[in-house]
Amino acid sequence: MKIFSESHKTVFVVDHCPYMAESCRQHVEFDMLVKNRTQGIIPLAPISKSLWTCSVESSMEYCRIMYDIFPFKKLVNFIVSDSGAHVLNSWTQEDQNLQELMAALAAVGPPNPRADPECCSILHGLVAAVETLCKITEYQHEARTLLMENAERVGNRGRIICITNAKSDSHVRMLEDCVQETIHEHNKLAANSDHLMQIQKCELVLIHTYPVGEDSLVSDRPKKELSPVLTSEVHSVRAGRHLATKLNILVQQHFDLASTTITNIPMKEEQHANTSANYDVELLHHKDAHVDFLKSGDTHLSGSSRDGPFKETITLKWCTPRTNNIELHYCTGAYRISPVDVNSRPSSCLTNFLLNGRSVLLEQPRKSGSKVISHMLSSHGGEIFLHVLSSSRSILEDPPSISEGCGGRVTDYRITDFGEFMRENRLTPFLDPRYKIDGSLEIPLERAKDQLEKHTRYWPMIISQTTIFNMQAVVPLASVIVKESLTEEDVLNCQKTIYNLVDMERKNDPLPISTVGTRGKGPKRDEQYRIMWNELETLVRAHINNSEKHQRVLECLMACRSKPPEEEERKKRGRKREDKEDKSEKAVKDYEQEKSWQDSERLKGILERGKEELAEAEIIKDSPDSPEPPNKKPLVEMDETPQVEKSKGPVSLLSLWSNRINTANSRKHQEFAGRLNSVNNRAELYQHLKEENGMEAAENGKASRQ
Amino acid sequence: MPTVVVMDVSLSMTRPVSVEGSEEYQRKHLAAHGLTMLFEHMATNYKLEFTALVIFSSLWELMVPFTRDYNTLQEALSNMDDYDKTCLESALVGVCNIVQQEWGGAIPCQVVLVTDGCLGIGRGSLRHSLATHNQRSESSRFPLPFPFPSKLYIMCMANLEELQSTDSLECLERLIDLNNGEGQIFTIDGPLCLKNVQSMFGKLIDLAYTPFHAVLKCGHLTADVQVFPRPEPFVVDEEIDPIPKVINTDLEIVGFIDIADISSPPVLSRHLVLPIALNKEGDEVGTGITDDNEDENSANQIAGKIPNFCVLLHGSLKVEGMVAIVQLGSEWHGMLYSQADSKKKSNLMMSLFEPGPEPLPWLGKMAQLGPISDAKENPYGEDDNKSPFPLQPKNKRSYAQNVTVWIKPSGLQTDVQKILRNARKLPEKTQTFYKELNRLRKAALAFGFLDLLKGVADMLERECTLLPDTAHPDAAFQLTHAAQQLKLASTGTSEYAMYDQNITPLHTDFSGSSTERM
């Protein structure tokens, strides 16, 4: 795989001397009369192309195929030669297209048959071709700059395709000698220049063309090494379509192309729109698209194409696409194509169908019944590619399902939320360069990574790990806080969100904390709010360094939640124990009044966790305007427990029901001390032993879960 | 990468090995011991690898077709008989057939050849094969290089000195060379004994069968993963960039793209991305594949219940129909997506693009892809109804730009007919008439085909005389005008033959007619 092989640079040298104005003596009927109008009219006499016209259109066809299949990194320099050399374009990528070349050729015009043949020679063009091969292309320049001290690795090879009318074999030899000498000279020049490169390898393809019906004065000669730098081959070809065929074969050889014929393409008849017939279209593409056939020697697929015995084509059958569903095929290669007969009706029907966004699967015709889809034609942005699909057995067959592996048993992933996250983190091209404040170039992809970093600073993976992301009320804050910078409006929205949450807390609205998996035990309401505020704080804190406005959001949050200092908390805990007995009674009464199912969560907590806390909760409820909502920590374990373990997913009807039953049952007996003190439904045995050893029960609880 | 183990069962493999113990070993025992070790390693750490076992002497036989059942392979090892002489070439031809039948020509395979370095005698011996290598026809091609991407590992049940005493080593090195240098020869260090065989196979395992562990990252969300099969180093361009590129062990997600936009891209290889649980020492606890003993089972169950980023990512990619673009190294990217097995099982899969700044023309340069929040307006539209992809190339391809090709007469005739058809519908078709006329004019000027211009001019003049009485008067005017302009252009004088100067419709004004102007 070399970028800078001979095919990186192709120089066309086309003879523009007076004899090229001669007719190729192959007639073209251009006045095709439609039957019912032709009575009594004699069609116009057929015309014929000149040698020049044949040479130019054949070389344009060569370029057309090359540009279709290799729009980049394969360059053409076009030179016409008469009394001097006219270089029609440069190596720059902008000059590499048919329109430019056609316009330049039109400016040159056909050769003047009345010019003095003595002053005209193809030699001017050949000398200019060598000169131009020494010129560096932008790709070579780029590679050299990139490689620095290894710049000599960048090769400079090229090919000269010269179309002329030579006089004899010795004339041909003279041309070869001239090229050889010129290379020698220019390599010397290039050695002392920074802008030029020495030619390491040059392939000279001399095409002698002559009118149909004449005898050739020049004999064919296969490729021969004239010197370590120069190889040369001679083709003697009749003008007209023979020349075009020759150049078609050459472009395939030079660029490693192969041919595929799509067969069985159903197409509406021009005359009878409701009938359809099957057509074939021949496409050219890089031969790697046939790599499977070539390696397996599966030659039964190939046959001679209609255009001649020289080249082989592989036939693939059109499979009419059923739907437009989007699928990710396992594709091992995609190669640009060029139709051999670009303007024929079948070709343009096929290409238009593809350009309109449809894809076509292609099937290998097999003698046995099995259907093997081996290729796909599809266009991307106005370019058609032949995709090679893997049709052999997959080495990854029967893999373990993702649900069997790590994390496979977890069922409450935030799939939808992450889908939303992915959509927000989709990529888009930024073609114009952007600059950072310090003036350095900004790489969009780095910005994308940056954004992912920001968006994932706090991102719980499962529903039961989070409260705030299950709350619609938090969305306005959560969606903007991850941004790099906030507007005043964003800050205002965040503040509103926080006030709204305060309001919810005051009204004692339920929070979507679920207790799935904790067997009927859930935190009570104010504990829920504490968890929620903590989580929100974690989220906002993760972003405070983004900007001063982020800081302001945090300030607002802190002011609103006003966490009591720890000292006070400890005092409260002391007080709790004293009040325990008194308040339990009240709690039970309170429960009986409570009918709402929605609130059963809270009640569970009340009954199962110790009634003294409930009493305190009631106090808060009774005085919602209390400026300092006490923040209770009922058990030491609860403080240490990560939120993950406490809440799992949204509440299902089953869990509501079983909670109700559980609470009802729990009233009929006294709860085991072990279950009361359990963490994640596991009670540590012989805790006192450890406590005696100076270890905290809380730590044990934590360790046992990991 | 499937593996074919090719085991030499010729008589020379039964040569005894002098071991300073009571038991007497033959070389084939050593070989079986080494292979047992390899199979055991694969069964625990490389379980998804398909392996086949071929034995050969003067003939070859496929003992075990490609399987992941390492017990079967192990059993086959103990059921091998001794046969006649070594005939390597036919065995390698056999390997070619087996692999191509099963996997085709595109999937890379590893061939582990186990032999004692006795390369046979006479016809069919490796020496004979190599000596006649240059005199072969296409039909009797030497099987190397293998017609699929391959690595040939030669495990010699002999030490270096023994091989060097004959030309065996040279011949085996030739084999690797013939396989384009893809492969390696392993010999036993020191005396032939079980321990040294183990260390030789240990080297092979280190080289070719160590699982590839990586960390999948998406910002702060991470997961430890095993990538199977191991991603192989890739050489971009032998000449410019001869150093093989190796993928990072940090697989960093850079963003997401819809499946419709990425549109079945060509990839170098596909890999399963399996989440793994690592304990503190960094050893693998469970991959979800291994579940042999109870310890592992419970470890797996615990691992199954711990939320894992891979599972979350997989689920969302599947639901949303998207892929994650992942950076594999500098200027090397790949994509992560959900791949459904036929049996409703699905998996997180990673495909590697070809290294380079622009692996997919329809996405443009990877470095130029950025977050949509940086764009002035959402390129996907407010209702998610558009897409910034595919990128349109600057120049259209020939089939998309209505180029003129007259190499076949039919091409030219079609173009002339189009003009003629429109000429007969003047003045209604004035616009298309001139469009087609100018297209022909341009091509004729570029090809220096001035006779055609004159011919078409004559034809238009004739059409003018054939106009029916009912024809609109403008038709005659336009035909005459067009013919005149073409005649002028056909002289080739620069004034009238300017490529970019189109023939414009004659400005006429007939009351009631609706002459359009260009």
Side-chain angles (χ1 to χ4, degrees):
Chain A
M1 258 196 288
K2 289 178 187 166
I3 302 174
F4 301 120
S5 66
E6 280 84 348
S7 22
H8 178 55
K9 289 166 148 181
T10 304
V11 189
F12 265 99
V13 183
V14 181
D15 202 337
H16 195 246
C17 295
Y19 48 76
M20 291 299 279
E22 223 176 288
S23 159
C24 76
R25 295 199 214 133
Q26 206 172 41
H27 295 300
V28 191
E29 293 281 355
F30 72 100
D31 191 19
M32 307 294 284
L33 295 165
V34 184
K35 275 178 204 154
N36 51 14
R37 287 192 43 142
T38 54
Q39 281 137 357
I41 300 164
I42 305 155
L44 295 167
I47 48 178
S48 71
K49 298 170 185 170
S50 62
L51 293 180
W52 164 258
T53 300
C54 295
S55 309
V56 166
E57 70 176 3
S58 306
S59 34
M60 281 297 106
E61 181 69 358
Y62 181 105
C63 296
R64 177 187 74 79
I65 292 168
M66 190 200 83
Y67 286 143
D68 272 357
I69 297 173
F70 299 102
F72 309 101
K73 296 179 186 170
K74 308 281 180 208
L75 310 171
V76 161
N77 200 298
F78 213 99
I79 296 172
V80 299
S81 181
D82 43 36
S83 57
H86 308 271
V87 183
L88 302 190
N89 67 338
S90 75
W91 293 126
T92 56
Q93 190 64 59
E94 293 86 77
D95 277 6
Q96 301 298 317
N97 62 70
L98 286 181
Q99 290 86 339
E100 292 283 332
L101 289 176
M102 296 277 270
L105 281 167
V108 169
N112 179 2
R114 285 173 297 280
D116 179 6
E118 291 305 309
C119 331
C120 294
S121 167
I122 190 72
L123 283 174
H124 302 295
L126 286 173
V127 170
V130 172
E131 211 170 301
T132 200
L133 278 181
C134 289
K135 287 185 186 150
I136 191 164
T137 69
E138 53 198 289
Y139 296 104
Q140 288 175 319
H141 178 71
E142 204 178 301
R144 272 161 59 120
T145 326
L146 210 70
L147 286 171
M148 309 280 280
E149 67 272 23
N150 290 325
E152 77 282 355
R153 274 200 216 136
V154 177
N156 187 36
R157 308 182 182 90
R159 183 177 287 126
I160 301 173
I161 301 175
C162 172
I163 308 178
T164 182
N165 180 288
K167 291 176 184 66
S168 62
D169 284 344
S170 57
H171 183 204
V172 166
R173 212 150 313 127
M174 187 271 283
L175 298 178
E176 287 171 340
D177 289 346
C178 162
V179 172
Q180 166 115 26
E181 226 165 275
T182 319
I183 291 177
H184 187 68
E185 279 167 31
H186 277 83
N187 273 357
K188 269 194 234 160
L189 276 176
N192 302 317
S193 161
D194 285 343
H195 312 291
L196 300 175
M197 285 177 86
Q198 288 191 313
I199 301 171
Q200 295 167 336
K201 200 97 202 165
C202 176
E203 239 182 71
L204 178 64
V205 181
L206 277 167
I207 301 170
H208 162 69
T209 186
Y210 55 97
V212 176
E214 274 184 24
D215 289 333
S216 172
L217 303 168
V218 174
S219 40
D220 269 7
R221 205 195 59 213
K223 195 187 276 186
K224 185 174 111 183
E225 194 167 287
L226 298 181
S227 80
V229 182
L230 183 68
T231 59
S232 164
E233 61 192 272
V234 183
H235 302 272
S236 182
V237 197
R238 282 173 293 168
R241 63 166 189 277
H242 307 284
L243 182 58
T245 310
K246 175 53 96 184
L247 276 154
N248 187 290
I249 293 165
L250 287 176
V251 74
Q252 294 190 50
Q253 283 173 4
H254 294 164
F255 295 94
D256 291 331
L257 305 184
S259 151
T260 296
T261 300
I262 317 297
T263 183
N264 262 2
I265 305 174
M267 203 174 81
K268 291 222 161 58
E269 293 280 358
E270 205 162 9
Q271 311 298 332
H272 318 281
N274 45 5
T275 62
S276 78
N278 289 338
Y279 287 89
D280 292 0
V281 172
E282 188 185 348
L283 306 173
L284 293 177
H285 49 77
H286 193 269
K287 68 175 179 202
D288 278 357
H290 287 166
V291 75
D292 270 358
F293 306 121
L294 297 175
K295 277 189 175 153
S296 60
D298 226 353
T299 45
H300 71 270
L301 294 169
S302 60
S304 297
S305 80
R306 289 163 300 166
D307 295 312
F310 302 105
K311 60 181 182 189
E312 295 198 316
T313 184
I314 282 180
T315 306
L316 294 173
K317 213 173 122 219
W318 160 291
C319 297
T320 301
R322 281 161 303 169
T323 50
N324 252 345
N325 64 343
I326 302 145
E327 237 182 297
L328 203 56
H329 294 277
Y330 176 27
C331 161
T332 53
Y335 305 90
R336 290 185 174 87
I337 61 105
S338 184
V340 171
D341 202 356
V342 65
N343 280 342
S344 76
R345 223 175 84 83
S347 289
S348 56
C349 271
L350 175 66
T351 52
N352 285 334
F353 182 85
L354 295 165
L355 290 173
N356 285 333
R358 309 288 297 272
S359 297
V360 181
L361 294 171
L362 303 174
E363 184 192 330
Q364 282 179 23
R366 291 243 165 138
K367 275 163 199 143
S368 59
S370 68
K371 180 172 168 172
V372 179
I373 303 282
S374 61
H375 291 77
M376 178 177 77
L377 277 171
S378 186
S379 80
H380 308 287
E383 288 187 285
I384 300 174
F385 291 80
L386 181 62
H387 292 247
V388 183
L389 304 182
S390 171
S391 51
S392 54
R393 184 180 169 192
S394 164
I395 55 163
L396 299 175
E397 70 182 28
D398 199 19
S401 173
I402 191 131
S403 59
E404 293 160 23
C406 295
R409 306 278 165 78
V410 180
T411 51
D412 65 337
Y413 285 107
R414 293 171 58 204
I415 299 284
T416 319
D417 289 352
F418 198 72
E420 182 62 32
F421 168 91
M422 295 194 310
R423 258 179 277 128
E424 281 165 13
N425 284 287
R426 269 186 294 191
L427 298 168
T428 190
F430 291 90
L431 302 177
D432 302 320
R434 294 172 166 223
Y435 298 92
K436 293 183 202 160
I437 303 160
D438 64 4
S440 61
L441 192 68
E442 186 176 85
I443 297 164
L445 201 65
E446 294 301 323
R447 296 269 309 153
K449 284 191 220 168
D450 254 25
Q451 180 168 310
L452 283 174
E453 187 276 325
K454 289 201 177 68
H455 283 205
T456 53
R457 281 186 194 162
Y458 179 70
W459 214 97
M461 287 197 280
I462 56 175
I463 293 165
S464 50
Q465 251 175 4
T466 178
T467 307
I468 56 171
F469 292 112
N470 299 332
M471 293 168 66
Q472 200 55 41
V474 181
V475 170
L477 184 146
S479 60
V480 296
I481 199 76
V482 294
K483 291 207 293 193
E484 191 176 15
S485 60
L486 300 178
T487 62
E488 279 302 331
E489 201 191 336
D490 288 337
V491 176
L492 215 63
N493 279 335
C494 290
Q495 289 168 343
K496 268 188 207 160
T497 307
I498 295 167
Y499 298 147
N500 189 21
L501 292 173
V502 172
D503 203 39
M504 281 171 70
E505 184 172 24
R506 194 170 47 80
K507 286 191 271 179
N508 218 6
D509 286 351
L511 290 183
I513 292 181
S514 89
T515 53
V516 177
T518 54
R519 201 181 288 177
K521 198 179 80 168
K524 59 199 180 56
R525 185 63 47 81
D526 60 337
E527 174 62 16
Q528 291 177 1
Y529 272 93
R530 197 184 62 80
I531 292 166
M532 186 278 290
W533 285 118
N534 276 347
E535 198 186 0
L536 194 63
E537 190 184 324
T538 311
L539 172 69
V540 176
R541 270 195 197 282
H543 294 278
I544 47 166
N545 292 328
N546 290 12
S547 76
E548 170 270 332
K549 292 199 176 77
H550 287 82
Q551 184 75 45
R552 270 165 56 196
V553 175
L554 181 69
E555 281 159 15
C556 169
L557 174 66
M558 297 315 285
C560 288
R561 73 169 297 192
S562 55
K563 193 159 70 174
E566 262 181 60
E567 187 119 2
E568 204 174 323
E569 206 166 313
R570 229 176 290 140
K571 257 188 264 164
K572 240 176 247 158
R573 215 176 293 151
R575 178 157 46 86
K576 257 186 268 172
R577 293 213 178 88
E578 291 165 18
D579 293 346
K580 190 176 175 178
E581 245 73 78
D582 303 340
K583 283 169 184 170
S584 56
E585 235 182 81
K586 188 188 170 193
V588 177
K589 266 185 226 156
D590 215 81
Y591 170 75
E592 276 156 2
Q593 284 155 10
E594 184 65 70
K595 298 288 177 218
S596 162
W597 269 50
Q598 280 179 333
D599 276 348
S600 66
E601 297 273 319
R602 185 173 64 84
L603 294 161
K604 257 177 316 162
I606 293 162
L607 283 160
E608 288 189 21
R609 198 167 323 113
K611 291 151 184 175
E612 80 286 357
E613 293 142 27
L614 166 87
E616 223 172 83
E618 290 308 306
I619 290 165
I620 301 157
K621 199 178 178 179
D622 291 341
S623 54
D625 294 323
S626 158
E628 192 193 288
N631 203 330
K632 306 151 313 299
K633 301 196 168 182
L635 288 169
V636 187
E637 296 97 326
M638 290 311 292
D639 268 350
E640 305 291 329
T641 309
Q643 298 136 11
V644 198
E645 307 299 334
K646 283 190 240 166
S647 41
K648 297 263 169 66
V651 188
S652 68
L653 191 58
L654 172 67
S655 65
L656 277 176
W657 176 251
S658 39
N659 285 341
R660 205 172 126 91
I661 297 295
N662 284 344
T663 46
N665 288 342
S666 68
R667 267 185 292 148
K668 294 173 187 160
H669 66 81
Q670 200 177 358
E671 185 58 290
F672 292 121
R675 191 175 291 158
L676 272 175
N677 295 320
S678 71
V679 174
N680 209 11
N681 263 320
R682 285 187 194 190
E684 193 80 14
L685 295 179
Y686 310 112
Q687 285 191 14
H688 60 284
L689 289 177
K690 283 180 182 162
E691 267 160 340
E692 276 161 24
N693 290 338
M695 282 175 78
E696 293 272 331
E699 272 178 30
N700 285 321
K702 201 171 164 188
S704 71
R705 283 192 309 278
Q706 283 179 344
Chain B
M1 283 228 285
T3 296
V4 187
V5 174
V6 188
M7 172 85 172
D8 187 345
V9 289
S10 65
L11 273 180
S12 62
M13 287 291 280
T14 62
R15 283 181 291 161
V17 179
S18 47
V19 188
E20 59 291 354
S22 53
E23 258 185 295
E24 187 175 277
Y25 283 109
Q26 298 173 359
R27 292 188 194 231
K28 67 171 186 182
H29 295 136
L30 292 183
H33 181 74
L35 286 174
T36 303
M37 177 180 161
L38 177 64
F39 291 157
E40 276 172 2
H41 169 82
M42 284 156 117
T44 37
N45 299 308
Y46 223 64
K47 254 207 156 172
L48 295 173
E49 178 87 345
F50 280 101
T51 303
L53 180 63
V54 171
I55 57 167
F56 75 101
S57 55
S58 64
L59 301 172
W60 63 270
E61 184 189 346
L62 176 62
M63 287 280 278
V64 184
F66 285 101
T67 181
R68 285 173 178 158
D69 182 356
Y70 285 91
N71 290 333
T72 313
L73 286 162
Q74 190 59 54
E75 269 169 41
L77 274 188
S78 46
N79 292 329
M80 286 189 299
D81 293 328
D82 305 324
Y83 294 92
D84 55 347
K85 63 171 189 170
T86 311
C87 187
L88 200 50
E89 182 174 344
S90 66
L92 293 174
V93 171
V95 170
C96 285
N97 294 338
I98 293 166
V99 170
Q100 283 194 309
Q101 253 172 36
E102 196 78 47
W103 311 107
I107 288 173
C109 283
Q110 324 201 64
V111 179
V112 179
L113 170 64
V114 184
T115 181
D116 58 352
C118 292
L119 305 172
I121 42 162
R123 253 187 116 72
S125 71
L126 185 59
R127 272 176 212 93
H128 181 260
S129 296
L130 293 175
T132 58
H133 183 257
N134 292 329
Q135 308 142 28
R136 285 160 185 266
S137 65
E138 192 49 43
S139 55
S140 62
R141 198 184 80 94
F142 190 68
L144 294 182
F146 285 120
F148 45 85
S150 65
K151 299 268 187 214
L152 175 61
Y153 300 115
I154 304 178
M155 313 302 291
C156 293
M157 294 303 129
N159 51 34
L160 202 58
E161 296 75 44
E162 192 184 339
L163 292 174
Q164 277 167 336
S165 65
T166 61
D167 63 345
S168 294
L169 190 67
E170 236 169 87
C171 289
L172 294 176
E173 278 168 351
R174 262 302 286 293
L175 271 188
I176 305 282
D177 287 347
L178 284 174
N179 201 34
N180 299 324
E182 295 290 350
Q184 198 172 321
I185 300 171
F186 293 83
T187 56
I188 292 175
D189 278 342
L192 272 58
C193 63
L194 293 178
K195 191 171 133 261
N196 291 340
V197 166
Q198 272 182 16
S199 88
M200 174 170 77
F201 273 87
K203 281 180 204 156
L204 172 69
I205 288 169
D206 286 347
L207 182 75
Y209 296 100
T210 35
F212 183 87
H213 288 179
V215 181
L216 180 63
K217 289 187 176 171
C218 175
H220 296 275
L221 298 169
T222 62
D224 292 310
V225 295
Q226 182 190 341
V227 177
F228 181 90
R230 300 194 319 173
E232 292 301 313
F234 185 82
V235 180
V236 182
D237 185 311
E238 302 279 356
E239 193 173 48
I240 304 288
D241 199 2
I243 304 151
K245 281 190 162 222
V246 183
I247 83 165
N248 289 345
T249 47
D250 271 358
L251 307 173
E252 196 176 3
I253 292 176
V254 295
F256 302 86
I257 289 181
D258 290 306
I259 283 183
D261 288 338
I262 199 101
S263 175
S264 298
V267 300
L268 292 176
S269 55
R270 283 195 310 175
H271 307 265
L272 284 170
V273 177
L274 304 161
I276 49 171
L278 295 175
N279 63 22
K280 275 167 199 139
E281 288 80 44
D283 293 335
E284 209 174 297
V285 172
T287 55
I289 321 164
T290 50
D291 49 3
D292 276 351
N293 54 50
E294 275 178 32
D295 273 1
E296 275 182 19
N297 248 336
S298 63
N300 279 347
Q301 287 198 342
I302 292 167
K305 285 177 185 159
I306 299 169
N308 191 295
F309 174 59
C310 286
V311 186
L312 172 68
L313 176 69
H314 169 267
S316 298
L317 289 175
K318 189 175 180 177
V319 171
E320 299 289 332
M322 292 173 98
V323 303
I325 301 296
V326 58
Q327 180 148 12
L328 309 168
S330 88
E331 296 203 328
W332 198 2
H333 295 86
M335 62 173 178
L336 289 160
Y337 52 97
S338 160
Q339 171 79 27
D341 202 24
S342 49
K343 299 160 198 161
K344 298 281 174 200
K345 280 194 202 172
S346 61
N347 243 295
L348 189 61
M349 192 85 102
M350 178 167 77
S351 290
L352 313 188
F353 301 144
E354 198 163 303
E358 195 182 338
L360 306 175
W362 50 94
L363 296 190
K365 288 202 167 60
M366 296 307 275
Q368 287 180 342
L369 297 179
I372 49 172
S373 57
D374 277 3
K376 281 193 194 75
E377 53 186 83
N378 189 347
Y380 289 91
E382 290 313 316
D383 308 324
D384 216 16
N385 53 1
K386 352 180 244 189
S387 167
F389 302 109
L391 282 188
Q392 300 289 330
K394 262 192 213 145
N395 291 316
K396 284 184 173 177
R397 304 289 154 253
S398 70
Y399 43 81
Q401 61 176 351
N402 199 11
V403 291
T404 320
V405 179
W406 291 334
I407 284 169
K408 286 187 180 170
S410 61
L412 177 60
Q413 285 154 3
T414 314
D415 286 346
V416 173
Q417 286 293 315
K418 266 188 220 160
I419 294 173
L420 216 50
R421 257 203 317 274
N422 287 299
R424 285 167 193 157
K425 290 177 188 156
L426 286 171
E428 290 80 22
K429 293 280 185 183
T430 306
Q431 293 301 322
T432 20
F433 170 72
Y434 280 100
K435 197 182 125 215
E436 291 299 334
L437 193 73
N438 281 313
R439 188 170 153 252
L440 177 120
R441 177 182 172 275
K442 276 196 160 161
L445 288 175
F447 297 150
F449 197 5
L450 303 182
D451 284 356
L452 176 69
L453 295 178
K454 213 170 135 287
V456 174
D458 290 344
M459 204 174 67
L460 293 180
E461 278 174 351
R462 185 193 63 202
E463 279 307 305
C464 198
T465 64
L466 293 174
L467 283 172
D469 298 338
T470 52
H472 193 283
D474 195 26
F477 279 100
Q478 297 298 351
L479 284 175
T480 321
H481 167 71
Q484 200 184 1
Q485 292 295 315
L486 283 185
K487 280 229 165 95
L488 285 171
S490 76
T491 60
T493 39
S494 54
E495 194 183 336
Y496 300 106
M498 296 275 281
Y499 184 75
D500 288 322
Q501 206 166 46
N502 282 325
I503 302 176
T504 50
L506 187 68
H507 181 202
T508 52
D509 192 11
F510 297 96
S511 50
S513 77
S514 57
T515 321
E516 289 168 57
R517 275 157 225 154
M518 279 191 108

